[in-house]
Amino acid sequence: MRILGVDPGLTRCGLGVIDQNGPRAVSLVDVAVVRSSSTEEPHRRLALIADGIEAMIAKHRPDVVAVERVFAEANVRSIISTAQVAGVAMLAAARADLPLALHSPSEVKAAVTGDGRADKAAVTLMVTRILRLDKAPRPADAADALALAITHAWRAGPLSLPSAARAQHGGAGMLPADNAPGMTAAQRAWAKAERESKMTGAADPRRRTS
Amino acid sequence: MRILGVDPGLTRCGLGVIDQNGPRAVSLVDVAVVRSSSTEEPHRRLALIADGIEAMIAKHRPDVVAVERVFAEANVRSIISTAQVAGVAMLAAARADLPLALHSPSEVKAAVTGDGRADKAAVTLMVTRILRLDKAPRPADAADALALAITHAWRAGPLSLPSAARAQHGGAGMLPADNAPGMTAAQRAWAKAERESKMTGAADPRRRTS
């Protein structure tokens, strides 16, 4: 399954494409950030971003589009433009006749770091480890888009996990232990990365500060 | 000048097209409401609405698209979906290479009723009078879309008003007296309608209740 994650934003809209090759095995396909300048009129900015999303869909033919769910209680200043960009992304998915998934920021953080309140640095670090990248995706919007795609892969995943691994799967956003039966080498790699990040505390600001 | 007004909403999106034939003369071209059911997936709903807006643009070839400006402080429950629909409408304007105008609800109310805090009934009543319609546009979303288009016509209007009428133009949202020199029969008609509504108090809830 190929997943396009969209982190909506009017100034920078993150787009991340991953392949899910097994229950927990994910790999990077492409990542980009579409930018629009505040010197442009707002509707032209939305069109620039829509063009970028549509180009990504045409290029990589994802099976599903995962967009960050925008909440009314988020940052008031940008909430309207963020929702407008999300709307444009959702429209692109519908016009490509693709299913849509919406994941909240806390779902994404919990899925990739194990902590629904993780900071941006932790998300970027885990995305880099999970996808076995040589360097962290920049800017943060790019990493966030990949994190959304990973979240979707993993949330959809438990149904197809081997039963032994599923038994160890502690709940939404929790990762199975890295020695679960039936895991591939790639799965073991990210599980190890995840475990290491827990040990250093890098992925869990609460532990780091407590 | 032909103006498409869009009152964004996910369940009902009002679309109103008017022609501006003189500084204050406006006439109805078309009005419609695009509906989407909550049983549909959200991205499919946005696509249905986008289809409706694009069809209206293709049919009537407006010179400008006026969309209601969505504020973060509006009804929290629907604010995100309203902003998403507004984004989709703005995208349609950009893709048709049309200029976009955003008008706030209070601007619209002030323009058509003289009172920025007028209720929906007053807006519908004034839209009916200004456009000399036999019956009120229903539902309110249809009237609101027409009110947006009228607001845009009139806000853009003062620059082209005859100087005598401009001198009597009391400010944003205020209407010139209906005996201003240089007014057309149509202009006199709406000014009379506006004056009558003031006399009955129908267009100004504050006066009616005080």
Side-chain angles (χ1 to χ4, degrees):
Chain A
M1 183 171 67
R2 180 162 288 186
I3 305 161
L4 167 61
V6 179
D7 179 43
L10 194 55
T11 302
R12 289 182 304 277
C13 180
L15 304 177
V17 182
I18 67 167
D19 274 340
Q20 181 181 25
N21 309 305
R24 285 277 174 178
V26 287
S27 59
L28 176 69
V29 175
D30 200 358
V31 62
V33 171
V34 188
R35 295 164 196 271
S36 82
S37 163
S38 60
T39 59
E40 295 274 338
E41 293 175 280
H43 65 317
R44 311 281 180 190
R45 298 180 75 180
L46 289 174
L48 279 172
I49 292 165
D51 289 348
I53 296 169
E54 287 172 8
M56 205 69 152
I57 290 173
K59 185 176 179 187
H60 296 296
R61 305 253 161 228
D63 299 297
V64 59
V65 178
V67 178
E68 185 179 288
R69 188 186 292 276
V70 185
F71 288 102
E73 49 274 13
N75 183 334
V76 170
R77 195 169 153 277
S78 64
I79 189 72
I80 299 300
S81 64
T82 303
Q84 288 169 346
V85 173
V88 159
M90 291 161 72
L91 178 64
R95 292 244 160 119
D97 202 20
L98 295 175
L100 173 80
L102 297 171
H103 298 296
S104 70
S106 58
E107 274 181 276
V108 172
K109 290 170 184 173
V112 302
T113 77
D115 176 5
R117 296 175 296 173
D119 63 14
K120 277 194 175 289
V123 170
T124 295
L125 180 65
M126 284 308 301
V127 165
T128 309
R129 288 178 176 174
I130 291 164
L131 294 174
R132 287 150 286 144
L133 307 177
D134 292 332
K135 56 177 187 171
R138 298 280 178 224
D141 315 79
D144 285 347
L146 290 169
L148 260 158
I150 293 166
T151 300
H152 186 73
W154 287 359
R155 284 186 71 86
L159 293 173
S160 55
L161 273 179
S163 60
R166 193 160 55 235
Q168 299 200 26
H169 187 77
M174 299 298 292
L175 309 178
D178 65 346
N179 59 350
M183 290 179 78
T184 65
Q187 286 174 275
R188 279 189 295 273
W190 66 249
K192 180 165 175 286
E194 202 273 338
R195 185 166 49 90
E196 285 171 357
S197 76
K198 290 282 185 202
M199 287 166 63
T200 61
D204 195 334
R206 278 181 306 179
R207 291 186 195 174
R208 191 165 35 187
T209 54
S210 63
Chain B
M1 182 170 70
R2 180 162 287 185
I3 305 161
L4 166 61
V6 180
D7 180 41
L10 194 56
T11 301
R12 289 181 306 276
C13 180
L15 304 176
V17 182
I18 67 167
D19 274 341
Q20 182 181 25
N21 308 306
R24 285 276 173 178
V26 287
S27 59
L28 176 69
V29 174
D30 201 356
V31 64
V33 171
V34 188
R35 294 163 197 273
S36 83
S37 164
S38 60
T39 59
E40 295 275 336
E41 293 175 281
H43 64 315
R44 311 281 179 189
R45 298 180 77 180
L46 289 174
L48 279 172
I49 292 166
D51 289 349
I53 296 169
E54 288 173 6
M56 205 67 150
I57 291 174
K59 186 177 178 187
H60 296 297
R61 306 251 161 231
D63 299 298
V64 58
V65 179
V67 178
E68 186 177 289
R69 188 186 293 277
V70 185
F71 287 102
E73 48 275 14
N75 183 333
V76 170
R77 194 170 155 274
S78 65
I79 189 73
I80 299 300
S81 64
T82 302
Q84 288 170 345
V85 174
V88 159
M90 291 162 72
L91 178 63
R95 293 240 159 123
D97 202 20
L98 295 175
L100 172 81
L102 297 171
H103 298 297
S104 71
S106 57
E107 273 181 278
V108 172
K109 289 170 185 173
V112 301
T113 77
D115 177 5
R117 296 175 296 173
D119 62 15
K120 276 194 175 292
V123 170
T124 295
L125 180 64
M126 285 307 301
V127 165
T128 308
R129 289 177 175 176
I130 291 164
L131 294 174
R132 286 150 286 143
L133 307 177
D134 291 333
K135 56 176 187 172
R138 299 282 179 222
D141 316 79
D144 285 348
L146 290 169
L148 261 159
I150 293 167
T151 300
H152 186 74
W154 288 359
R155 285 186 69 87
L159 293 173
S160 55
L161 274 180
S163 59
R166 194 160 54 235
Q168 300 199 26
H169 187 77
M174 299 298 292
L175 311 178
D178 64 347
N179 59 350
M183 290 179 80
T184 66
Q187 286 175 275
R188 278 189 294 272
W190 67 250
K192 181 166 174 285
E194 201 274 338
R195 184 164 50 91
E196 285 169 357
S197 75
K198 290 285 185 201
M199 286 167 64
T200 62
D204 194 335
R206 281 182 304 179
R207 291 187 195 173
R208 190 166 37 187
T209 55
S210 64

